[in-house]
């Protein structure tokens, strides 16, 4: 009887291992994107999903769940079964939404899967603007405090925090104008705001046609995908707030599923097709495996909490 129980237990364990090894065998994998269709987050997620579908031999679908700076999408994915079939296209927003009080839990509700790319926040104006450099914009802002409007992707968003940090470093005040992510660039083109702090993927097409001019990137060094755009630091303003995007899964997702997703992401992000498409969008592939990515998120969460406290955005 005892031997039979041991055998049965061994068979069940083998069956579970076989099932895990077959991931994804249940059907489609769903990536929740925290912002609307057409946003930089959406465009890059669809590039990733296409590559992952080929690598995994399963459909990888993108579903947009925008709202509350990303909180709606994070809440949805955190509530799903931790089996690898519901994942989130996460970003620095996992920390900013929590520390701004819009999300009741922090990054520890998720298991990191992989970082995929990085983006350089940029300050941009219309192509016909009188400002040709960040120095010129700041000089004008100092001559008329709160006389210049700067659009961002919403209160507490990475672009909002970046804009506040930039103009604090510059020692001047502008009017921050929060929009839904899909409205930021149209607001600039339509003249509703004087400038925007945005991520390059949303601006790249307009930069190529001359409708938008990039004045500076908020990175430690020049981003090769942005050509000759100088950094804010080069122009005398000590601000660097690189943005990243990656994949996370609900906490407790089986390690074989994490490994399968991580492997598919690596092959996609390091492939030539993804690199070429990323360059056109103004983003940079920057694969990072699960363990290292998790450590990055934890370290950065502390720094973002400090920065948000400093500028009065932490709840």
């Amino acid at each position: 009887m005892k031997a039979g129980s041991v055998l049965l237990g061994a068979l069940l364990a083998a069956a579970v291992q076989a099932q895990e090894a077959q991931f994804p065998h249940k059907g489609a994998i769903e990536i929740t994107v925290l912002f609307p269709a057409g946003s930089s987050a959406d465009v890059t997620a669809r590039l990733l999903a296409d590559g992952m579908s080929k690598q995994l031999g399963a459909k990888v679908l993108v579903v947009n769940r925008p709202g509350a700076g990303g909180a709606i999408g994070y809440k949805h994915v955190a509530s799903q079964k931790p089996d690898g079939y519901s994942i989130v296209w996460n970003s620095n927003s996992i920390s900013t939404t929590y520390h701004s009080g819009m999300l009741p839990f922090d990054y520890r509700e998720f298991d990191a899967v992989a970082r995929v790319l990085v983006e350089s926040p940029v300050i941009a104006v219309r192509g016909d603007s009188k400002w040709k450099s960040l120095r010129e914009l700041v000089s004008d802002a100092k001559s008329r405090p709160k006389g210049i409007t700067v659009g961002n992707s919403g209160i507490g968003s990475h672009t909002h925090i970046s804009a506040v940090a930039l103009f604090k470093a510059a020692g001047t005040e502008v009017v921050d104008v929060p929009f839904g992510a899909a409205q930021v660039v149209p607001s600039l083109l339509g003249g509703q705001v004087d400038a925007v702090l945005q991520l390059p993927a949303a601006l790249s097409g307009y930069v190529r046609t001359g409708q938008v001019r990039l004045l500076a990137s908020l990175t430690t060094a020049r981003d090769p995908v942005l050509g000759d755009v100088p950094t804010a630091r080069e122009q005398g303003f000590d601000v660097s707030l690189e943005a990243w995007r990656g994949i996370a899964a609900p906490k407790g997702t089986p390690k074989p599923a994490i490994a399968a997703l991580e492997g598919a992401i690596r092959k996609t992000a390091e492939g030539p097709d993804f690199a070429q498409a990323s360059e056109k969008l103004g983003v940079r592939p920057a694969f990072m495996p699960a363990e290292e990515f998790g450590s990055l998120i934890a370290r950065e969460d502390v720094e973002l909490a400090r920065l948000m406290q400093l500028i009065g955005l932490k709840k």
Side-chain angles (χ1 to χ4, degrees):
M1 186 73 175
K2 189 174 180 181
S5 297
V6 171
L7 179 59
L8 179 60
L11 288 172
L12 287 172
V16 169
Q17 289 176 352
Q19 187 180 45
E20 288 179 345
Q22 291 171 6
F23 176 88
H25 64 280
K26 291 182 181 177
I29 296 166
E30 184 179 279
I31 300 177
T32 287
V33 173
L34 310 170
F35 300 98
S39 63
S40 63
D42 175 72
V43 174
T44 49
R46 291 178 190 278
L47 280 175
L48 177 66
D50 286 346
M52 289 179 67
S53 293
K54 294 171 186 173
Q55 296 298 331
L56 292 168
K59 286 185 179 179
V60 181
L61 308 174
V62 168
V63 179
N64 302 91
R65 292 188 171 91
I72 289 174
Y74 283 125
K75 287 177 183 177
H76 170 81
V77 177
S79 70
Q80 301 303 298
K81 185 177 179 181
D83 58 6
Y85 290 89
S86 181
I87 54 181
V88 63
W89 187 220
N90 70 334
S91 68
N92 315 70
S93 62
I94 186 58
S95 293
T96 57
T97 51
Y98 170 69
H99 292 300
S100 64
M102 291 188 286
L103 194 62
F105 52 79
D106 67 6
Y107 68 92
R108 286 170 286 198
E109 284 297 302
F110 298 95
D111 288 333
V113 177
R115 187 181 71 176
V116 179
L117 55 84
V118 293
E119 298 183 74
S120 304
V122 291
I123 182 82
V125 295
R126 282 184 13 166
D128 57 3
S129 170
K130 63 181 178 180
W131 302 307
K132 302 296 192 294
S133 70
L134 177 58
R135 284 198 188 97
E136 290 181 6
L137 173 60
V138 169
S139 177
D140 196 356
K142 284 183 174 179
S143 70
R144 46 191 183 105
K146 293 191 175 181
I148 291 174
T149 53
V150 180
N152 62 66
S153 299
I155 295 171
S157 66
H158 189 81
T159 55
H160 179 209
I161 292 167
S162 298
V164 172
L166 172 62
F167 288 102
K168 269 191 174 289
T172 189
E173 290 184 275
V174 298
V175 177
D176 293 303
V177 185
F179 291 94
Q183 283 76 52
V184 182
V185 179
S187 76
L188 175 66
L189 298 175
Q192 284 80 43
V193 292
D194 299 309
V196 294
L197 201 301
Q198 194 56 219
L199 298 174
L203 297 165
S204 57
Y206 302 104
V207 172
R208 283 196 296 271
T209 60
Q211 293 172 273
V212 168
R213 177 187 302 136
L214 303 183
L215 300 183
S217 66
L218 274 58
T219 50
T220 53
R222 290 197 184 195
D223 188 329
V225 304
L226 295 179
D228 59 355
V229 178
T231 66
R233 284 181 171 177
E234 284 179 68
Q235 300 180 67
F237 311 107
D238 189 15
V239 181
S240 176
L241 286 163
E242 190 172 68
W244 52 258
R245 296 196 189 279
I247 291 291
K251 189 171 182 63
T253 297
K255 288 185 178 179
I258 296 284
L261 291 167
E262 181 189 307
I265 292 167
R266 179 193 286 272
K267 288 178 181 177
T268 300
E270 294 181 347
D273 292 345
F274 192 83
Q276 289 170 12
S278 294
E279 185 176 357
K280 290 178 182 176
L281 289 168
V283 303
R284 180 161 40 94
F287 174 81
M288 183 181 284
E291 186 174 352
E292 191 178 344
F293 183 37
S295 297
L296 170 69
I297 295 171
R299 287 196 312 273
E300 189 180 79
D301 184 77
V302 175
E303 175 59 21
L304 282 172
R306 185 196 67 79
L307 180 57
M308 291 177 72
Q309 183 80 54
L310 182 68
I311 62 182
L313 290 174
K314 190 176 187 303
K315 294 294 175 77

